[in-house]
Amino acid sequence: MPKSKRAKVVHLTKTQKKGKELTLRLYANIQECVPQFPYIYVFGVENMRNNYLKNVRADLAGDSRIFFGKTSVMARALGDSPSTEPFPSTSLLSPHLSGPCGLIFSHRDPPNMLAHLDAYHPHSYARAGTISTSAFRLLSGPLVYDAEGESTPIPAEQEPMLRKLGVPTRMEKGRVMLDETFEVCKEGEVLGSGQTTLLKMFAVAMAEFSVSVKACWTKETGEVRVVGAAKDGVDSEAIFNRNGSKAGMEVMEMGVEKDEGFEGFEAEG
């Protein structure tokens, strides 16, 4: 039978999956860090953006280390029972590892850590599924967007895209015109992909990136303190001791003095 003369895709490189290798390394690194740091924080992330997380990483240099990997692996590394935890009471952190979250191992005490993380809330463009924080309308007349504080006309090249997104625009003497007010979104509305595209085109940022501490483990006392609003069915003001029982009630105050930054962290996974 003659050989086929059809074009074939030939891959010149070969890659190997590193899923298991990364999982084992994440597990080992977490267990290695537990006895080296006096505090372990479980943190949650709202509106995750890699570039903003890198900025947080730049602010932490020297006395902290962060892991942002699979929650199931991180929970297993901390232990799921007193018999499997690498250090007393670390398994009490595992229930808080849900959703977009990670671990910070640090020499910084809770007031300093809370102050630093609470001070960083940059805005970014919303993605589909985000709830709008305010209403936004396009006014009739020449369409402009805010570019570094100055009103800049929308480029003529974007007019076909605007019409594709449902905006009734037209061209007039090289300018993109709108004959009547167009409502892009209402306050509290769940945004769709078309709406988020329009918001980005007009430089309207409605998403806020934030990193917040959910729980903190203290090596010296072996206690786990839950921070902030109650989540995952756990009392938000409770302090749990080594035996897993409630040891008292205390609220972590956010009104602490701002420190000058904590140094370094390393992302895993």
Side-chain angles (χ1 to χ4, degrees):
M1 184 175 180
K3 292 184 179 181
S4 173
K5 295 183 179 180
R6 292 181 180 178
K8 295 182 179 180
V9 177
V10 178
H11 297 284
L12 302 179
T13 59
K14 294 183 179 180
T15 58
Q16 296 180 349
K17 293 184 178 180
K18 297 182 179 180
K20 186 175 182 180
E21 178 184 343
L22 292 177
T23 297
L24 295 175
R25 188 172 66 182
L26 175 62
Y27 180 90
N29 287 342
I30 290 176
Q31 291 211 325
E32 180 184 352
C33 285
V34 171
Q36 298 178 5
F37 293 88
Y39 301 102
I40 304 176
Y41 300 92
V42 177
F43 68 92
V45 180
E46 292 289 338
N47 296 308
M48 173 63 185
R49 301 291 188 273
N50 286 332
N51 56 329
Y52 290 147
L53 196 58
K54 289 179 181 179
N55 291 339
V56 176
R57 179 178 186 175
D59 292 336
L60 302 170
D63 62 359
S64 300
R65 189 174 180 185
I66 188 172
F67 296 89
F68 197 81
K70 291 184 178 180
T71 55
S72 58
V73 177
M74 294 188 293
R76 182 62 64 87
L78 293 175
D80 48 18
S81 66
S83 61
T84 59
E85 58 190 14
F87 222 81
S89 298
T90 57
S91 62
L92 297 178
L93 291 173
S94 297
H96 304 284
L97 288 167
S98 61
C101 64
L103 295 172
I104 297 178
F105 293 79
S106 180
H107 292 283
R108 294 277 174 168
D109 58 23
N112 285 333
M113 182 65 75
L114 288 170
H116 284 288
L117 296 180
D118 189 55
Y120 187 64
H121 293 280
H123 286 80
S124 62
Y125 297 117
R127 294 174 178 172
T130 303
I131 297 177
S132 62
T133 57
S134 61
F136 180 68
R137 297 178 179 85
L138 300 177
L139 302 179
S140 59
L143 288 182
V144 297
Y145 69 97
D146 185 22
E148 300 181 356
E150 296 183 1
S151 295
T152 304
I154 288 289
E157 295 80 7
Q158 293 188 1
E159 197 270 340
M161 175 60 72
L162 289 169
R163 284 190 284 106
K164 185 177 180 180
L165 293 171
V167 184
T169 57
R170 61 182 176 83
M171 294 298 298
E172 181 178 300
K173 297 180 180 180
R175 296 184 301 176
V176 182
M177 303 292 294
L178 185 64
D179 291 330
E180 57 184 20
T181 301
F182 180 83
E183 184 176 62
V184 177
C185 66
K186 300 178 181 179
E187 183 177 358
E189 180 182 5
V190 179
L191 299 173
S193 58
Q195 292 169 305
T196 57
T197 301
L198 285 172
L199 291 173
K200 187 173 183 179
M201 290 176 67
F202 288 90
V204 178
M206 286 195 178
E208 184 181 76
F209 171 87
S210 65
V211 177
S212 58
V213 174
K214 300 170 67 175
C216 172
W217 173 83
T218 303
K219 179 180 179 181
E220 183 178 0
T221 61
E223 293 175 343
V224 171
R225 181 175 303 176
V226 182
V227 184
K231 293 183 180 181
D232 305 322
V234 181
D235 189 345
S236 63
E237 299 180 354
I239 302 175
F240 299 90
N241 61 20
R242 293 174 184 270
N243 298 322
S245 59
K246 194 177 294 186
M249 301 292 289
E250 182 175 339
V251 181
M252 294 298 299
E253 297 291 341
M254 297 300 293
V256 292
E257 214 173 73
K258 182 182 177 183
D259 199 4
E260 285 305 321
F262 37 130
E263 307 176 4
F265 77 60
E266 176 181 336
E268 296 285 341

